[in-house]
PDB file of all heavy atoms in Angstrom:
ATOM      1  N   ASP H1353      87.065 105.296 106.444  1.00  0.00           N
ATOM      2  CA  ASP H1353      87.533 104.865 105.171  1.00  0.00           C
ATOM      3  C   ASP H1353      86.758 105.559 104.096  1.00  0.00           C
ATOM      4  O   ASP H1353      85.636 105.155 103.698  1.00  0.00           O
ATOM      5  CB  ASP H1353      87.387 103.334 105.047  1.00  0.00           C
ATOM      6  CG  ASP H1353      88.053 102.765 103.778  1.00  0.00           C
ATOM      7  OD1 ASP H1353      88.232 103.520 102.877  1.00  0.00           O
ATOM      8  OD2 ASP H1353      88.371 101.526 103.795  1.00  0.00           O
ATOM      9  N   ASN H1354      87.269 106.657 103.546  1.00  0.00           N
ATOM     10  CA  ASN H1354      86.580 107.429 102.640  1.00  0.00           C
ATOM     11  C   ASN H1354      86.252 106.682 101.311  1.00  0.00           C
ATOM     12  O   ASN H1354      85.285 106.917 100.660  1.00  0.00           O
ATOM     13  CB  ASN H1354      87.367 108.730 102.322  1.00  0.00           C
ATOM     14  CG  ASN H1354      87.189 109.705 103.446  1.00  0.00           C
ATOM     15  OD1 ASN H1354      86.318 109.641 104.335  1.00  0.00           O
ATOM     16  ND2 ASN H1354      88.168 110.695 103.484  1.00  0.00           N
ATOM     17  N   ALA H1355      87.139 105.805 100.972  1.00  0.00           N
ATOM     18  CA  ALA H1355      86.915 104.952  99.792  1.00  0.00           C
ATOM     19  C   ALA H1355      85.705 104.091  99.907  1.00  0.00           C
ATOM     20  O   ALA H1355      85.063 103.758  98.941  1.00  0.00           O
ATOM     21  CB  ALA H1355      88.182 104.107  99.431  1.00  0.00           C
ATOM     22  N   LYS H1356      85.403 103.708 101.142  1.00  0.00           N
ATOM     23  CA  LYS H1356      84.190 102.922 101.442  1.00  0.00           C
ATOM     24  C   LYS H1356      83.025 103.681 101.931  1.00  0.00           C
ATOM     25  O   LYS H1356      81.964 103.236 102.288  1.00  0.00           O
ATOM     26  CB  LYS H1356      84.532 101.811 102.484  1.00  0.00           C
ATOM     27  CG  LYS H1356      85.540 100.788 101.927  1.00  0.00           C
ATOM     28  CD  LYS H1356      85.772  99.679 102.909  1.00  0.00           C
ATOM     29  CE  LYS H1356      86.750  98.627 102.443  1.00  0.00           C
ATOM     30  NZ  LYS H1356      86.974  97.566 103.439  1.00  0.00           N
ATOM     31  N   ASN H1357      83.241 105.032 102.042  1.00  0.00           N
ATOM     32  CA  ASN H1357      82.145 105.905 102.424  1.00  0.00           C
ATOM     33  C   ASN H1357      81.671 105.490 103.891  1.00  0.00           C
ATOM     34  O   ASN H1357      80.435 105.580 104.141  1.00  0.00           O
ATOM     35  CB  ASN H1357      81.013 105.991 101.548  1.00  0.00           C
ATOM     36  CG  ASN H1357      80.616 107.386 101.055  1.00  0.00           C
ATOM     37  OD1 ASN H1357      81.421 108.319 101.079  1.00  0.00           O
ATOM     38  ND2 ASN H1357      79.385 107.493 100.677  1.00  0.00           N
ATOM     39  N   THR H1358      82.602 105.168 104.719  1.00  0.00           N
ATOM     40  CA  THR H1358      82.249 104.551 105.979  1.00  0.00           C
ATOM     41  C   THR H1358      83.094 105.068 107.132  1.00  0.00           C
ATOM     42  O   THR H1358      84.260 105.447 106.981  1.00  0.00           O
ATOM     43  CB  THR H1358      82.474 103.027 105.936  1.00  0.00           C
ATOM     44  OG1 THR H1358      81.709 102.490 104.866  1.00  0.00           O
ATOM     45  CG2 THR H1358      82.090 102.342 107.212  1.00  0.00           C
ATOM     46  N   VAL H1359      82.436 105.252 108.223  1.00  0.00           N
ATOM     47  CA  VAL H1359      83.055 105.686 109.514  1.00  0.00           C
ATOM     48  C   VAL H1359      82.903 104.626 110.538  1.00  0.00           C
ATOM     49  O   VAL H1359      81.893 103.945 110.530  1.00  0.00           O
ATOM     50  CB  VAL H1359      82.491 107.017 110.043  1.00  0.00           C
ATOM     51  CG1 VAL H1359      83.135 107.435 111.313  1.00  0.00           C
ATOM     52  CG2 VAL H1359      82.572 108.144 108.982  1.00  0.00           C
ATOM     53  N   TYR H1360      83.892 104.455 111.332  1.00  0.00           N
ATOM     54  CA  TYR H1360      83.799 103.377 112.322  1.00  0.00           C
ATOM     55  C   TYR H1360      84.042 103.877 113.772  1.00  0.00           C
ATOM     56  O   TYR H1360      84.553 104.891 113.953  1.00  0.00           O
ATOM     57  CB  TYR H1360      84.993 102.386 112.063  1.00  0.00           C
ATOM     58  CG  TYR H1360      85.016 101.759 110.672  1.00  0.00           C
ATOM     59  CD1 TYR H1360      85.817 102.294 109.744  1.00  0.00           C
ATOM     60  CD2 TYR H1360      84.222 100.731 110.382  1.00  0.00           C
ATOM     61  CE1 TYR H1360      85.878 101.834 108.390  1.00  0.00           C
ATOM     62  CE2 TYR H1360      84.222 100.132 109.115  1.00  0.00           C
ATOM     63  CZ  TYR H1360      85.029 100.729 108.154  1.00  0.00           C
ATOM     64  OH  TYR H1360      85.043 100.149 106.921  1.00  0.00           O
ATOM     65  N   LEU H1361      83.536 103.134 114.727  1.00  0.00           N
ATOM     66  CA  LEU H1361      83.790 103.506 116.139  1.00  0.00           C
ATOM     67  C   LEU H1361      84.166 102.122 116.826  1.00  0.00           C
ATOM     68  O   LEU H1361      83.365 101.286 117.073  1.00  0.00           O
ATOM     69  CB  LEU H1361      82.613 104.131 116.832  1.00  0.00           C
ATOM     70  CG  LEU H1361      82.821 104.588 118.188  1.00  0.00           C
ATOM     71  CD1 LEU H1361      83.859 105.732 118.287  1.00  0.00           C
ATOM     72  CD2 LEU H1361      81.580 105.031 118.942  1.00  0.00           C
ATOM     73  N   GLN H1362      85.470 101.950 117.048  1.00  0.00           N
ATOM     74  CA  GLN H1362      85.903 100.837 117.767  1.00  0.00           C
ATOM     75  C   GLN H1362      85.786 101.097 119.246  1.00  0.00           C
ATOM     76  O   GLN H1362      86.383 102.125 119.798  1.00  0.00           O
ATOM     77  CB  GLN H1362      87.402 100.514 117.412  1.00  0.00           C
ATOM     78  CG  GLN H1362      88.060  99.349 118.231  1.00  0.00           C
ATOM     79  CD  GLN H1362      87.414  98.097 117.899  1.00  0.00           C
ATOM     80  OE1 GLN H1362      87.118  97.781 116.717  1.00  0.00           O
ATOM     81  NE2 GLN H1362      87.120  97.200 118.892  1.00  0.00           N
ATOM     82  N   MET H1363      85.052 100.283 120.010  1.00  0.00           N
ATOM     83  CA  MET H1363      84.772 100.477 121.523  1.00  0.00           C
ATOM     84  C   MET H1363      85.310  99.266 122.209  1.00  0.00           C
ATOM     85  O   MET H1363      84.905  98.169 122.021  1.00  0.00           O
ATOM     86  CB  MET H1363      83.276 100.598 121.656  1.00  0.00           C
ATOM     87  CG  MET H1363      82.559 101.657 120.750  1.00  0.00           C
ATOM     88  SD  MET H1363      80.875 101.937 121.233  1.00  0.00           S
ATOM     89  CE  MET H1363      80.175 100.360 120.753  1.00  0.00           C
ATOM     90  N   ASP H1364      86.334  99.590 122.992  1.00  0.00           N
ATOM     91  CA  ASP H1364      87.007  98.644 123.942  1.00  0.00           C
ATOM     92  C   ASP H1364      86.763  98.884 125.368  1.00  0.00           C
ATOM     93  O   ASP H1364      86.378 100.038 125.682  1.00  0.00           O
ATOM     94  CB  ASP H1364      88.494  98.557 123.561  1.00  0.00           C
ATOM     95  CG  ASP H1364      88.858  98.172 122.109  1.00  0.00           C
ATOM     96  OD1 ASP H1364      88.137  97.276 121.583  1.00  0.00           O
ATOM     97  OD2 ASP H1364      89.656  98.843 121.496  1.00  0.00           O
ATOM     98  N   SER H1365      86.977  97.940 126.126  1.00  0.00           N
ATOM     99  CA  SER H1365      86.857  98.084 127.616  1.00  0.00           C
ATOM    100  C   SER H1365      85.455  98.667 127.917  1.00  0.00           C
ATOM    101  O   SER H1365      85.369  99.585 128.745  1.00  0.00           O
ATOM    102  CB  SER H1365      87.974  98.958 128.149  1.00  0.00           C
ATOM    103  OG  SER H1365      89.219  98.358 127.932  1.00  0.00           O
ATOM    104  N   LEU H1366      84.444  98.165 127.312  1.00  0.00           N
ATOM    105  CA  LEU H1366      83.118  98.761 127.566  1.00  0.00           C
ATOM    106  C   LEU H1366      82.619  98.581 128.999  1.00  0.00           C
ATOM    107  O   LEU H1366      83.030  97.596 129.693  1.00  0.00           O
ATOM    108  CB  LEU H1366      82.148  98.057 126.552  1.00  0.00           C
ATOM    109  CG  LEU H1366      82.268  98.525 125.114  1.00  0.00           C
ATOM    110  CD1 LEU H1366      81.581  97.528 124.109  1.00  0.00           C
ATOM    111  CD2 LEU H1366      81.583  99.876 124.931  1.00  0.00           C
ATOM    112  N   LYS H1367      81.860  99.625 129.397  1.00  0.00           N
ATOM    113  CA  LYS H1367      81.336  99.677 130.659  1.00  0.00           C
ATOM    114  C   LYS H1367      79.797  99.771 130.607  1.00  0.00           C
ATOM    115  O   LYS H1367      79.213 100.244 129.615  1.00  0.00           O
ATOM    116  CB  LYS H1367      81.818 100.877 131.429  1.00  0.00           C
ATOM    117  CG  LYS H1367      83.352 101.054 131.512  1.00  0.00           C
ATOM    118  CD  LYS H1367      83.696 102.418 132.106  1.00  0.00           C
ATOM    119  CE  LYS H1367      85.268 102.554 132.129  1.00  0.00           C
ATOM    120  NZ  LYS H1367      85.658 103.875 132.725  1.00  0.00           N
ATOM    121  N   PRO H1368      79.148  99.357 131.729  1.00  0.00           N
ATOM    122  CA  PRO H1368      77.617  99.436 131.700  1.00  0.00           C
ATOM    123  C   PRO H1368      77.132 100.859 131.334  1.00  0.00           C
ATOM    124  O   PRO H1368      76.127 101.056 130.748  1.00  0.00           O
ATOM    125  CB  PRO H1368      77.239  98.997 133.066  1.00  0.00           C
ATOM    126  CG  PRO H1368      78.395  98.058 133.450  1.00  0.00           C
ATOM    127  CD  PRO H1368      79.603  98.627 132.872  1.00  0.00           C
ATOM    128  N   GLU H1369      77.921 101.953 131.792  1.00  0.00           N
ATOM    129  CA  GLU H1369      77.502 103.198 131.482  1.00  0.00           C
ATOM    130  C   GLU H1369      77.656 103.663 129.997  1.00  0.00           C
ATOM    131  O   GLU H1369      77.273 104.777 129.641  1.00  0.00           O
ATOM    132  CB  GLU H1369      78.197 104.219 132.297  1.00  0.00           C
ATOM    133  CG  GLU H1369      79.754 104.099 132.427  1.00  0.00           C
ATOM    134  CD  GLU H1369      80.136 103.242 133.581  1.00  0.00           C
ATOM    135  OE1 GLU H1369      79.589 102.133 133.871  1.00  0.00           O
ATOM    136  OE2 GLU H1369      81.255 103.664 134.206  1.00  0.00           O
ATOM    137  N   ASP H1370      78.200 102.826 129.202  1.00  0.00           N
ATOM    138  CA  ASP H1370      78.251 103.045 127.764  1.00  0.00           C
ATOM    139  C   ASP H1370      76.959 102.594 127.119  1.00  0.00           C
ATOM    140  O   ASP H1370      76.853 102.791 125.867  1.00  0.00           O
ATOM    141  CB  ASP H1370      79.480 102.272 127.166  1.00  0.00           C
ATOM    142  CG  ASP H1370      80.782 102.754 127.658  1.00  0.00           C
ATOM    143  OD1 ASP H1370      80.927 104.009 127.678  1.00  0.00           O
ATOM    144  OD2 ASP H1370      81.703 101.930 127.856  1.00  0.00           O
ATOM    145  N   THR H1371      76.129 101.948 127.746  1.00  0.00           N
ATOM    146  CA  THR H1371      74.808 101.548 127.154  1.00  0.00           C
ATOM    147  C   THR H1371      74.028 102.699 126.744  1.00  0.00           C
ATOM    148  O   THR H1371      73.797 103.643 127.484  1.00  0.00           O
ATOM    149  CB  THR H1371      74.018 100.795 128.328  1.00  0.00           C
ATOM    150  OG1 THR H1371      74.629  99.551 128.573  1.00  0.00           O
ATOM    151  CG2 THR H1371      72.641 100.435 127.731  1.00  0.00           C
ATOM    152  N   ALA H1372      73.755 102.652 125.414  1.00  0.00           N
ATOM    153  CA  ALA H1372      72.959 103.765 124.744  1.00  0.00           C
ATOM    154  C   ALA H1372      72.622 103.420 123.240  1.00  0.00           C
ATOM    155  O   ALA H1372      73.187 102.356 122.865  1.00  0.00           O
ATOM    156  CB  ALA H1372      73.862 105.004 124.752  1.00  0.00           C
ATOM    157  N   VAL H1373      71.953 104.235 122.727  1.00  0.00           N
ATOM    158  CA  VAL H1373      71.764 104.141 121.270  1.00  0.00           C
ATOM    159  C   VAL H1373      72.895 105.083 120.643  1.00  0.00           C
ATOM    160  O   VAL H1373      72.974 106.255 121.044  1.00  0.00           O
ATOM    161  CB  VAL H1373      70.367 104.598 120.740  1.00  0.00           C
ATOM    162  CG1 VAL H1373      70.303 104.541 119.201  1.00  0.00           C
ATOM    163  CG2 VAL H1373      69.323 103.771 121.379  1.00  0.00           C
ATOM    164  N   TYR H1374      73.615 104.524 119.730  1.00  0.00           N
ATOM    165  CA  TYR H1374      74.734 105.244 119.150  1.00  0.00           C
ATOM    166  C   TYR H1374      74.313 105.693 117.640  1.00  0.00           C
ATOM    167  O   TYR H1374      73.818 104.964 116.842  1.00  0.00           O
ATOM    168  CB  TYR H1374      75.912 104.422 119.042  1.00  0.00           C
ATOM    169  CG  TYR H1374      76.612 104.296 120.357  1.00  0.00           C
ATOM    170  CD1 TYR H1374      76.082 103.523 121.352  1.00  0.00           C
ATOM    171  CD2 TYR H1374      77.780 104.956 120.665  1.00  0.00           C
ATOM    172  CE1 TYR H1374      76.583 103.426 122.689  1.00  0.00           C
ATOM    173  CE2 TYR H1374      78.478 104.829 121.853  1.00  0.00           C
ATOM    174  CZ  TYR H1374      77.887 104.066 122.930  1.00  0.00           C
ATOM    175  OH  TYR H1374      78.442 104.022 124.093  1.00  0.00           O
ATOM    176  N   TYR H1375      74.543 106.997 117.479  1.00  0.00           N
ATOM    177  CA  TYR H1375      74.154 107.639 116.217  1.00  0.00           C
ATOM    178  C   TYR H1375      75.365 108.177 115.437  1.00  0.00           C
ATOM    179  O   TYR H1375      76.179 108.830 116.038  1.00  0.00           O
ATOM    180  CB  TYR H1375      73.206 108.753 116.419  1.00  0.00           C
ATOM    181  CG  TYR H1375      71.933 108.414 117.052  1.00  0.00           C
ATOM    182  CD1 TYR H1375      71.816 108.396 118.502  1.00  0.00           C
ATOM    183  CD2 TYR H1375      70.808 108.042 116.385  1.00  0.00           C
ATOM    184  CE1 TYR H1375      70.560 108.122 119.085  1.00  0.00           C
ATOM    185  CE2 TYR H1375      69.603 107.709 116.902  1.00  0.00           C
ATOM    186  CZ  TYR H1375      69.490 107.803 118.351  1.00  0.00           C
ATOM    187  OH  TYR H1375      68.276 107.437 118.871  1.00  0.00           O
ATOM    188  N   CYS H1376      75.330 108.099 114.119  1.00  0.00           N
ATOM    189  CA  CYS H1376      76.369 108.654 113.228  1.00  0.00           C
ATOM    190  C   CYS H1376      75.759 109.926 112.788  1.00  0.00           C
ATOM    191  O   CYS H1376      74.571 110.162 112.660  1.00  0.00           O
ATOM    192  CB  CYS H1376      76.542 107.702 112.010  1.00  0.00           C
ATOM    193  SG  CYS H1376      77.839 108.167 110.981  1.00  0.00           S
ATOM    194  N   ASN H1377      76.620 110.927 112.522  1.00  0.00           N
ATOM    195  CA  ASN H1377      76.219 112.308 112.295  1.00  0.00           C
ATOM    196  C   ASN H1377      77.235 112.901 111.305  1.00  0.00           C
ATOM    197  O   ASN H1377      78.439 112.762 111.430  1.00  0.00           O
ATOM    198  CB  ASN H1377      76.206 113.160 113.551  1.00  0.00           C
ATOM    199  CG  ASN H1377      76.108 114.628 113.386  1.00  0.00           C
ATOM    200  OD1 ASN H1377      77.019 115.279 113.053  1.00  0.00           O
ATOM    201  ND2 ASN H1377      74.838 115.139 113.568  1.00  0.00           N
ATOM    202  N   MET H1378      76.616 113.558 110.276  1.00  0.00           N
ATOM    203  CA  MET H1378      77.449 114.266 109.264  1.00  0.00           C
ATOM    204  C   MET H1378      76.846 115.684 109.043  1.00  0.00           C
ATOM    205  O   MET H1378      75.743 115.811 108.454  1.00  0.00           O
ATOM    206  CB  MET H1378      77.347 113.429 107.946  1.00  0.00           C
ATOM    207  CG  MET H1378      78.195 114.056 106.862  1.00  0.00           C
ATOM    208  SD  MET H1378      78.289 112.960 105.375  1.00  0.00           S
ATOM    209  CE  MET H1378      76.618 112.924 104.838  1.00  0.00           C
ATOM    210  N   PRO H1379      77.573 116.690 109.541  1.00  0.00           N
ATOM    211  CA  PRO H1379      77.189 118.076 109.390  1.00  0.00           C
ATOM    212  C   PRO H1379      77.553 118.616 108.056  1.00  0.00           C
ATOM    213  O   PRO H1379      78.769 118.872 107.837  1.00  0.00           O
ATOM    214  CB  PRO H1379      77.836 118.781 110.561  1.00  0.00           C
ATOM    215  CG  PRO H1379      79.057 118.065 110.737  1.00  0.00           C
ATOM    216  CD  PRO H1379      78.752 116.642 110.360  1.00  0.00           C
ATOM    217  N   THR H1380      76.663 118.711 107.049  1.00  0.00           N
ATOM    218  CA  THR H1380      77.006 119.302 105.735  1.00  0.00           C
ATOM    219  C   THR H1380      76.566 120.779 105.645  1.00  0.00           C
ATOM    220  O   THR H1380      75.903 121.276 106.666  1.00  0.00           O
ATOM    221  CB  THR H1380      76.298 118.553 104.640  1.00  0.00           C
ATOM    222  OG1 THR H1380      74.918 118.773 104.615  1.00  0.00           O
ATOM    223  CG2 THR H1380      76.500 117.076 104.783  1.00  0.00           C
ATOM    224  N   ILE H1381      76.807 121.438 104.647  1.00  0.00           N
ATOM    225  CA  ILE H1381      76.344 122.878 104.484  1.00  0.00           C
ATOM    226  C   ILE H1381      74.867 122.880 104.411  1.00  0.00           C
ATOM    227  O   ILE H1381      74.192 123.777 104.968  1.00  0.00           O
ATOM    228  CB  ILE H1381      77.075 123.527 103.256  1.00  0.00           C
ATOM    229  CG1 ILE H1381      78.503 123.550 103.432  1.00  0.00           C
ATOM    230  CG2 ILE H1381      76.387 124.865 102.894  1.00  0.00           C
ATOM    231  CD1 ILE H1381      79.256 124.086 102.236  1.00  0.00           C
ATOM    232  N   ALA H1382      74.292 121.969 103.656  1.00  0.00           N
ATOM    233  CA  ALA H1382      72.791 122.025 103.496  1.00  0.00           C
ATOM    234  C   ALA H1382      72.072 121.453 104.691  1.00  0.00           C
ATOM    235  O   ALA H1382      70.945 122.052 105.035  1.00  0.00           O
ATOM    236  CB  ALA H1382      72.394 121.247 102.227  1.00  0.00           C
ATOM    237  N   GLU H1383      72.512 120.570 105.408  1.00  0.00           N
ATOM    238  CA  GLU H1383      71.812 119.945 106.538  1.00  0.00           C
ATOM    239  C   GLU H1383      72.727 119.168 107.354  1.00  0.00           C
ATOM    240  O   GLU H1383      73.805 118.880 106.948  1.00  0.00           O
ATOM    241  CB  GLU H1383      70.696 119.032 106.010  1.00  0.00           C
ATOM    242  CG  GLU H1383      71.236 117.951 105.092  1.00  0.00           C
ATOM    243  CD  GLU H1383      70.153 116.924 104.575  1.00  0.00           C
ATOM    244  OE1 GLU H1383      69.150 116.820 105.184  1.00  0.00           O
ATOM    245  OE2 GLU H1383      70.401 116.346 103.529  1.00  0.00           O
ATOM    246  N   THR H1384      72.217 118.764 108.507  1.00  0.00           N
ATOM    247  CA  THR H1384      72.899 117.788 109.416  1.00  0.00           C
ATOM    248  C   THR H1384      72.190 116.474 109.245  1.00  0.00           C
ATOM    249  O   THR H1384      71.056 116.443 109.527  1.00  0.00           O
ATOM    250  CB  THR H1384      72.918 118.241 110.806  1.00  0.00           C
ATOM    251  OG1 THR H1384      73.674 119.450 110.960  1.00  0.00           O
ATOM    252  CG2 THR H1384      73.586 117.237 111.726  1.00  0.00           C
ATOM    253  N   VAL H1385      72.946 115.418 108.833  1.00  0.00           N
ATOM    254  CA  VAL H1385      72.329 114.128 108.614  1.00  0.00           C
ATOM    255  C   VAL H1385      72.618 113.252 109.779  1.00  0.00           C
ATOM    256  O   VAL H1385      73.735 113.173 110.295  1.00  0.00           O
ATOM    257  CB  VAL H1385      72.990 113.525 107.260  1.00  0.00           C
ATOM    258  CG1 VAL H1385      72.260 112.216 106.930  1.00  0.00           C
ATOM    259  CG2 VAL H1385      72.888 114.529 106.129  1.00  0.00           C
ATOM    260  N   TRP H1386      71.542 112.540 110.140  1.00  0.00           N
ATOM    261  CA  TRP H1386      71.634 111.486 111.253  1.00  0.00           C
ATOM    262  C   TRP H1386      71.210 110.200 110.705  1.00  0.00           C
ATOM    263  O   TRP H1386      70.367 110.060 109.941  1.00  0.00           O
ATOM    264  CB  TRP H1386      70.654 111.959 112.382  1.00  0.00           C
ATOM    265  CG  TRP H1386      71.007 113.162 113.147  1.00  0.00           C
ATOM    266  CD1 TRP H1386      70.629 114.429 112.866  1.00  0.00           C
ATOM    267  CD2 TRP H1386      71.804 113.187 114.335  1.00  0.00           C
ATOM    268  NE1 TRP H1386      71.122 115.303 113.758  1.00  0.00           N
ATOM    269  CE2 TRP H1386      71.879 114.586 114.684  1.00  0.00           C
ATOM    270  CE3 TRP H1386      72.555 112.293 115.063  1.00  0.00           C
ATOM    271  CZ2 TRP H1386      72.583 115.028 115.845  1.00  0.00           C
ATOM    272  CZ3 TRP H1386      73.181 112.754 116.196  1.00  0.00           C
ATOM    273  CH2 TRP H1386      73.187 114.071 116.566  1.00  0.00           C
ATOM    274  N   GLY H1387      71.876 109.196 111.302  1.00  0.00           N
ATOM    275  CA  GLY H1387      71.491 107.838 111.051  1.00  0.00           C
ATOM    276  C   GLY H1387      70.367 107.440 111.999  1.00  0.00           C
ATOM    277  O   GLY H1387      69.905 108.239 112.850  1.00  0.00           O
ATOM    278  N   GLN H1388      69.833 106.208 111.883  1.00  0.00           N
ATOM    279  CA  GLN H1388      68.752 105.830 112.683  1.00  0.00           C
ATOM    280  C   GLN H1388      69.148 105.229 114.053  1.00  0.00           C
ATOM    281  O   GLN H1388      68.295 105.034 114.968  1.00  0.00           O
ATOM    282  CB  GLN H1388      67.981 104.624 111.942  1.00  0.00           C
ATOM    283  CG  GLN H1388      68.581 103.217 112.076  1.00  0.00           C
ATOM    284  CD  GLN H1388      69.810 102.996 111.271  1.00  0.00           C
ATOM    285  OE1 GLN H1388      70.261 103.899 110.512  1.00  0.00           O
ATOM    286  NE2 GLN H1388      70.558 101.987 111.555  1.00  0.00           N
ATOM    287  N   GLY H1389      70.436 104.994 114.213  1.00  0.00           N
ATOM    288  CA  GLY H1389      70.998 104.575 115.467  1.00  0.00           C
ATOM    289  C   GLY H1389      71.171 103.095 115.615  1.00  0.00           C
ATOM    290  O   GLY H1389      70.404 102.301 114.913  1.00  0.00           O
ATOM    291  N   THR H1390      72.009 102.735 116.429  1.00  0.00           N
ATOM    292  CA  THR H1390      72.225 101.204 116.761  1.00  0.00           C
ATOM    293  C   THR H1390      72.450 101.125 118.255  1.00  0.00           C
ATOM    294  O   THR H1390      73.138 101.875 118.877  1.00  0.00           O
ATOM    295  CB  THR H1390      73.451 100.644 115.967  1.00  0.00           C
ATOM    296  OG1 THR H1390      73.511  99.245 116.218  1.00  0.00           O
ATOM    297  CG2 THR H1390      74.726 101.328 116.408  1.00  0.00           C
ATOM    298  N   GLN H1391      71.644 100.083 118.805  1.00  0.00           N
ATOM    299  CA  GLN H1391      71.583  99.908 120.295  1.00  0.00           C
ATOM    300  C   GLN H1391      72.951  99.212 120.711  1.00  0.00           C
ATOM    301  O   GLN H1391      73.272  98.145 120.201  1.00  0.00           O
ATOM    302  CB  GLN H1391      70.433  99.096 120.720  1.00  0.00           C
ATOM    303  CG  GLN H1391      70.348  98.798 122.193  1.00  0.00           C
ATOM    304  CD  GLN H1391      70.144 100.084 122.982  1.00  0.00           C
ATOM    305  OE1 GLN H1391      69.254 100.851 122.764  1.00  0.00           O
ATOM    306  NE2 GLN H1391      70.824 100.175 124.103  1.00  0.00           N
ATOM    307  N   VAL H1392      73.630  99.738 121.801  1.00  0.00           N
ATOM    308  CA  VAL H1392      74.700  99.073 122.451  1.00  0.00           C
ATOM    309  C   VAL H1392      74.240  98.874 123.912  1.00  0.00           C
ATOM    310  O   VAL H1392      73.884  99.834 124.607  1.00  0.00           O
ATOM    311  CB  VAL H1392      75.925  99.940 122.350  1.00  0.00           C
ATOM    312  CG1 VAL H1392      77.048  99.330 123.232  1.00  0.00           C
ATOM    313  CG2 VAL H1392      76.446 100.010 120.911  1.00  0.00           C
ATOM    314  N   THR H1393      74.286  97.648 124.303  1.00  0.00           N
ATOM    315  CA  THR H1393      73.948  97.325 125.730  1.00  0.00           C
ATOM    316  C   THR H1393      75.146  96.571 126.339  1.00  0.00           C
ATOM    317  O   THR H1393      75.561  95.514 125.911  1.00  0.00           O
ATOM    318  CB  THR H1393      72.689  96.458 125.790  1.00  0.00           C
ATOM    319  OG1 THR H1393      71.644  97.179 125.087  1.00  0.00           O
ATOM    320  CG2 THR H1393      72.342  96.230 127.199  1.00  0.00           C
ATOM    321  N   VAL H1394      75.618  97.090 127.513  1.00  0.00           N
ATOM    322  CA  VAL H1394      76.736  96.503 128.161  1.00  0.00           C
ATOM    323  C   VAL H1394      76.293  95.952 129.560  1.00  0.00           C
ATOM    324  O   VAL H1394      75.787  96.696 130.324  1.00  0.00           O
ATOM    325  CB  VAL H1394      77.882  97.482 128.355  1.00  0.00           C
ATOM    326  CG1 VAL H1394      79.105  96.920 129.039  1.00  0.00           C
ATOM    327  CG2 VAL H1394      78.279  98.140 127.009  1.00  0.00           C
ATOM    328  N   SER H1395      76.410  94.676 129.762  1.00  0.00           N
ATOM    329  CA  SER H1395      75.896  94.062 130.894  1.00  0.00           C
ATOM    330  C   SER H1395      77.146  94.039 131.949  1.00  0.00           C
ATOM    331  O   SER H1395      78.244  93.863 131.563  1.00  0.00           O
ATOM    332  CB  SER H1395      75.398  92.704 130.666  1.00  0.00           C
ATOM    333  OG  SER H1395      76.432  91.796 130.160  1.00  0.00           O
ATOM    334  N   SER H1396      76.663  94.129 133.210  1.00  0.00           N
ATOM    335  CA  SER H1396      77.766  94.113 134.332  1.00  0.00           C
ATOM    336  C   SER H1396      78.060  92.678 134.727  1.00  0.00           C
ATOM    337  O   SER H1396      77.350  91.750 134.377  1.00  0.00           O
ATOM    338  CB  SER H1396      77.314  94.949 135.493  1.00  0.00           C
ATOM    339  OG  SER H1396      76.089  94.552 135.938  1.00  0.00           O
TER     340      SER H1396
END
């Protein structure tokens, strides 16, 4: 949603192997910007 300056990731049917830290990334001309990450843990 560019009006909100926001990107989303809808994750359905999650599996234990999806467990990870998820990072947002924006490659600009000057630099590649990374977020700090958010932990996703999927229990079996």
Side-chain angles (χ1 to χ4, degrees):
D1353 185 338
N1354 286 341
K1356 295 182 178 180
N1357 233 26
T1358 302
V1359 179
Y1360 304 98
L1361 186 67
Q1362 176 67 41
M1363 305 186 296
D1364 299 316
S1365 303
L1366 283 162
K1367 304 176 182 180
E1369 51 264 43
D1370 294 318
T1371 294
V1373 178
Y1374 284 71
Y1375 298 91
C1376 186
N1377 169 281
M1378 181 171 67
T1380 72
I1381 293 175
E1383 59 178 334
T1384 296
V1385 185
W1386 291 91
Q1388 82 289 349
T1390 185
Q1391 176 70 47
V1392 171
T1393 303
V1394 184
S1395 63
S1396 57

